[in-house]
């Protein structure tokens, strides 16, 4: 897209009156085995991304979101290490301001543009207005309620914005203004098992009798933000773009310092070896697990989650062996091979 060189301004932003792709309700034979959403979900766009019913109301606003050139976006499927990388990015982007990081939970510092597609705004409002709400609950729920699209638009200073949406459902404007975009991917088998455990955290444990149902739904692209391989492929195709950084969780687990340097480089920041030492230590699994600004304990305080040990949980590659047996592995590998045909994307083995 050409810039107006005389004024050096960005071209006028295109505002979409409707989404340039379809949002389709499921048919009777298209329900997942897990009853997580009832009938309240939709298929979005040509790849049929599985979204909650709230997407119908919020999708266009997200797509039309006005980006700023100094924004930083972090994308990735849930359970791909996005909290870890989010904290790393936030700290590097904020000149290692640990004091500021300690003041607020990460979801508030690095808000989700798609937050209210997966958390009910009404429910949070109820919590904030409840007569039994403690001061802490009012504070936490009040912060959630600020994280609307309007709230994000009003934020001052450099914005750090996260999303589990695939790139094709994100605002195209973020690319047009040259904002920095980072994508974090993870071995899909580990992600899947990690996701399954997170049902216990997100109060969804009664949704399933066992892992196999979730495994089947995933292979049939009937879980949130699936088709997973398309999600990652969209980002992989951009991995060499100037303002795009593609990361694997496993690479960070092998060498956190290297990821720290990559991100610093990408955001144009210089870090000394001492600063890297300190950040690496701060991001260590044990410290992270006990760090209440990143371990999502805030969600338990407002009754939206429990058993915080399920969020920052195992913290290393290879967790898939807990739940995926040989037969499932064979099936999974076949599905993966099929879905990765025609691309050189390959996930790290764990
Ligand atoms: P496991 O469930 O396999 O342990 P997300 O933040 O995208 O939801 O990803 C969650 C996964 O990242 C979980 O994987 C979690 O334990 C892991 N994780 C979070 N913080 C970590 C850290 N500091 N070091 C290693 N892994 C971490």
């Amino acid at each position: 897209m050409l810039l107006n060189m005389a004024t050096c301004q960005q071209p006028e932003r295109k505002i979409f009156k409707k989404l340039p792709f379809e949002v389709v309700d499921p048919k009777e034979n298209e329900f997942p085995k897990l009853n997580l959403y009832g009938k309240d979900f939709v298929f979005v766009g040509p790849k049929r991304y599985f979204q909650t019913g709230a997407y119908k109301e919020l999708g266009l606003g997200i797509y039309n979101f006005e980006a700023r050139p100094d924004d930083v976006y972090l994308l990735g499927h849930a359970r791909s290490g996005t909290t870890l990388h989010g904290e790393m990015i936030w700290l590097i982007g904020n000149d290692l301001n640990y004091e500021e990081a300690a003041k607020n939970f990460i979801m508030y510092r690095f808000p989700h543009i798609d937050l209210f597609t997966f958390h009910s705004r009404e429910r949070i409002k109820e919590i904030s207005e409840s007569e039994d709400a403690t001061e802490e609950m009012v504070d936490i729920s009040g912060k959630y309620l600020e994280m609307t699209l309007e709230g994000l638009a009003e934020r001052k200073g450099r914005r750090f914005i996260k999303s589990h949406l695939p790139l094709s459902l994100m605002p195209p404007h973020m690319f047009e203004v040259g904002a920095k975009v980072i994508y974090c991917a993870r071995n899909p088998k580990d992600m899947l098992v990690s996701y399954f455990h997170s049902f216990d955290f997100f109060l969804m444990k009664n949704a399933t009798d066992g892992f196999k149902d979730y495994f089947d739904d995933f292979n049939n692209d009937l879980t949130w933000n699936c088709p997973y391989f398309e999600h990652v492929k969209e980002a992989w195709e951009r991995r060499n773009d100037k303002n795009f950084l593609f990361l694997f969780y496993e690479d960070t687990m092998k060498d956190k310092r290297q990821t720290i340097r990559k991100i610093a480089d990408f955001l144009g920041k210089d870090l000394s070896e001492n600063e890297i030492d300190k950040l690496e230590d701060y991001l260590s699994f044990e410290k992270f697990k006990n760090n209440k600004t990143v371990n999502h304990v805030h969600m338990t305080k407002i009754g939206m989650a429990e058993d915080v040990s399920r969020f920052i949980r195992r913290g290393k590659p290879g967790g898939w062996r807990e739940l995926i047996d040989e037969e499932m592995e064979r099936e999974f590998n076949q599905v993966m091979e099929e879905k990765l045909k025609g691309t050189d994307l390959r996930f790290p083995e764990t």
Side-chain angles (χ1 to χ4, degrees), residues 291-305:
N291 177 344
K292 63 182 177 6
T293 69
V294 295
N295 69 7
H296 285 46
V297 71
H298 71 277
M299 285 185 68
T300 66
K301 300 270 172 69
I302 54 169
M304 285 171 52

Side-chain angles (χ1 to χ4, degrees), residues 79-84 186 194 249 253 283 288 313-315:
R79 309 307 289 169
S80 298
T82 55
T83 311
L84 167 64
R186 184 179 191 186
S194 174
Y249 171 80
M253 286 302 98
L283 299 169
F288 220 65
R313 190 188 61 98
R314 186 176 185 274

